[in-house]
């Protein structure tokens, strides 16, 4: 039985929008942003929140289980803190181990084709640090996310417009709550970039 969301009447969506939220943080207990965002969507009826930490043992995932989770959902969210202009190690390990030849790519690897990939991340740096004129980084988030965009293209997933929270370190509780609400509403409908 589906339970309507208190914030969005459309968030309980049809079966075709079953959403897997892959939460990738090295220590969720110490997280402010990632933990708050995961909590904000955890009670949505069509959403499965899947923490990678407990599923990662001795550097390995149960690949068959992870791939079944992907098969069982139509929209996949990668939710992670932005580390060194990239994804945290646990998400990189998951990508390396789970998106295998014959499953995600290759002549018979079509399990993810047509599904949607939604990136949800947070940066310590402010939005200005991710403008092309910034003397330190010089690159926009769109440019920095290019490897994930290329990954999505290779495995036939449609990349949704990423949801990025900037300035994580100094973000007020009020602004974090507003962002969490936006995220919750986003999982009710996703705008695609293509
Ligand atoms: C190892 C590490 C690397 C980081 N690299 C970046 C970075 O490249 N750019 C940036 O803006 N913030 C960076 N940060 C800041 C994190 O993105 C920020 O602390 C995180 O989004 C907060 O989320 P959390 O509360 O869930 O941990 C880094 C933080 C750590 C611990």
């Amino acid at each position: 039985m589906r339970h309507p969301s208190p914030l969005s009447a459309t968030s309980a969506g049809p079966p075709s929008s079953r959403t897997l939220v892959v939460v990738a943080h090295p220590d969720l207990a110490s997280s402010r942003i990632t933990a708050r965002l995961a909590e904000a969507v955890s009670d949505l009826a069509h959403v499965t929140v899947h923490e990678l930490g407990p599923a990662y043992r001795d550097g390995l995932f149960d690949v068959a289980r992870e791939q079944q989770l992907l098969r069982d959902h139509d929209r996949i969210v990668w939710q992670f803190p932005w580390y060194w202009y990239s994804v945290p190690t646990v998400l990189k390990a998951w990508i390396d181990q789970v998106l295998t030849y014959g499953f995600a790519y290759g002549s018979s690897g079509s399990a993810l084709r047509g599904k949607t990939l939604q990136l949800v991340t947070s940066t310590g740096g402010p939005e200005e640090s991710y403008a092309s004129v910034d003397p330190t980084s010089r690159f926009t988030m769109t440019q920095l996310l290019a490897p994930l965009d290329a990954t999505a293209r290779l495995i036939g997933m449609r990349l949704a417009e990423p949801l990025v929270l900037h300035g994580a370190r100094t973000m007020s509780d009020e602004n974090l709550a507003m962002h969490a609400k936006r995220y919750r509403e986003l999982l009710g409908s996703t705008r695609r970039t293509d």
Side-chain angles (χ1 to χ4, degrees):
M1 183 184 181
R2 295 188 181 283
H3 301 280
S5 149
L7 289 178
S8 167
T10 59
S11 62
S16 63
S17 66
R18 291 169 306 171
T19 299
L20 178 68
V21 178
V22 176
V23 179
H25 194 289
D27 179 20
L28 203 57
S30 71
S31 155
R32 176 171 176 242
I33 308 292
T34 308
R36 175 73 183 81
L37 295 183
E39 190 226 314
V41 297
S42 61
D43 67 332
L44 294 177
H46 65 299
V47 169
T48 305
V49 174
H50 176 50
E51 278 179 45
L52 290 192
Y56 191 48
R57 287 283 160 259
D58 299 323
L60 294 173
F61 288 100
D62 178 342
V63 173
R65 176 172 179 255
E66 298 299 318
Q67 291 182 341
Q68 192 56 49
L69 274 171
L70 290 170
R71 281 196 193 91
D72 289 346
H73 294 81
D74 308 294
R75 177 170 50 183
I76 313 300
V77 180
W78 291 352
Q79 200 203 300
F80 57 96
W82 190 239
Y83 280 5
W84 287 111
Y85 301 100
S86 186
V87 300
T89 303
V90 68
L91 181 53
K92 184 59 168 62
W94 183 91
I95 291 169
D96 291 350
Q97 292 176 36
V98 177
L99 304 186
T100 54
Y101 180 84
F103 173 74
Y105 69 101
S107 54
S108 62
S110 58
L112 304 176
R113 283 201 182 279
K115 295 180 191 275
T116 298
L117 179 63
Q118 172 75 60
L119 304 177
V120 176
T121 191
S122 57
T123 74
E127 191 167 6
E128 310 84 79
S129 306
Y130 293 93
S132 56
V133 294
D134 182 272
T136 308
S137 68
R138 275 203 316 121
F139 299 105
T140 65
M141 280 309 278
T142 302
Q143 290 170 322
L144 293 165
L145 288 169
L148 298 183
D149 188 344
T151 300
R153 286 167 192 269
L154 181 77
I155 62 181
M157 294 187 80
R158 289 179 289 228
L159 189 69
E161 190 175 318
L163 180 67
V164 181
L165 177 151
H166 290 292
R169 286 193 199 94
T170 53
M171 172 145 293
S172 67
D173 289 343
E174 291 73 24
N175 284 343
L176 178 55
M178 272 170 50
H179 189 81
K181 182 169 182 278
R182 207 174 304 135
Y183 177 33
R184 188 179 163 89
E185 288 169 350
L186 177 73
L187 292 199
S189 68
T190 296
R191 195 151 47 95
R192 291 172 178 163
T193 50
D194 60 353

